[in-house]
Amino acid sequence: MAENLIINGGNKQEMYETLLPQLLSLTTGETDTVANMANVAAALKQTFDFFWVGFYRVKEEMLVLAPFQGPLACTRIRYGKGVCGTAWKEARTIVVPDVEQFPGHIACSSDSRSEIVVPVVRGGKVVAVLDIDSDKLNEFDEVDAEYLEKLCASLPI
Ligand code: SME
């Protein structure tokens, strides 16, 4: 279970391959969205030591902060704003190698240098986004996108 995640290192792909089945087994059968988002954020943060990992949920036509791990973050993001609002609007994963090069990036922390945002789509609509920030440039690539998309597609949230 969550407190006993078994990740034996290896490369990033191997770590995702080990982590994802454990996360799906942990969350499957649990119907509470907040509980599942909370454990997913904790597991990703613990496994990869990312700077910030969390969810925003679509609520009242905005993205509203949901379970996360890391420093305090902005509470609400408008449709089409920042990386999160753009991933929501375009319903696609966005990888940002250098946040300073992304027009309109919302800097919740000046320590964030690169970012990936993956939409959570249910019934053809974006219902949430998974946002991960790194304090290193160029942290995320197509491997992260592939596995985080699989995770977001399968999670009971
Ligand atoms: N950087 C995000 C805002 C959320 S924080 O990174 C936690 C954005 O531009 O949408």
Side-chain angles (χ1 to χ4, degrees):
M1 284 304 160
E3 64 273 21
N4 294 321
L5 281 177
I6 300 160
I7 309 293
N8 290 323
N11 64 31
K12 184 160 69 172
Q13 185 164 357
E14 289 165 347
M15 290 168 79
Y16 278 117
E17 290 279 353
T18 318
L19 177 65
L20 259 59
Q22 294 182 74
L23 270 180
L24 292 177
S25 121
L26 175 72
T27 52
T28 298
E30 174 51 67
T31 55
D32 190 277
T33 298
V34 169
N36 287 334
M37 287 180 166
N39 267 337
V40 169
L44 288 169
K45 178 89 164 77
Q46 184 187 349
T47 302
F48 295 102
D49 198 24
F50 293 133
F51 177 70
W52 194 95
V53 182
F55 290 89
Y56 283 88
R57 284 201 284 182
V58 175
K59 219 176 158 188
E60 299 150 11
E61 302 304 309
M62 299 193 100
L63 287 172
V64 182
L65 187 62
F68 71 95
Q69 296 268 319
L72 292 181
C74 4
T75 312
R76 286 173 185 265
I77 298 173
R78 289 181 193 282
Y79 185 72
K81 299 293 176 189
V83 187
C84 291
T86 304
W88 174 21
K89 184 176 178 181
E90 297 181 3
R92 66 178 179 95
T93 298
I94 300 184
V95 175
V96 182
D98 177 355
V99 295
E100 287 182 15
Q101 305 302 318
F102 188 94
H105 167 259
I106 301 165
C108 293
S109 165
S110 55
D111 289 334
S112 175
R113 311 289 302 281
S114 58
E115 182 163 1
I116 184 169
V117 180
V118 180
V120 178
V121 180
R122 297 290 180 271
K125 282 194 155 186
V126 176
V127 297
V129 299
L130 169 62
D131 179 17
I132 306 182
D133 288 26
S134 172
D135 55 7
K136 301 176 197 76
L137 285 172
N138 256 312
E139 175 82 55
F140 306 103
D141 56 23
E142 64 284 351
V143 173
D144 301 279
E146 179 190 336
Y147 284 98
L148 294 171
E149 282 173 5
K150 271 190 202 165
L151 179 66
C152 286
S154 321
L155 277 178
I157 53 179

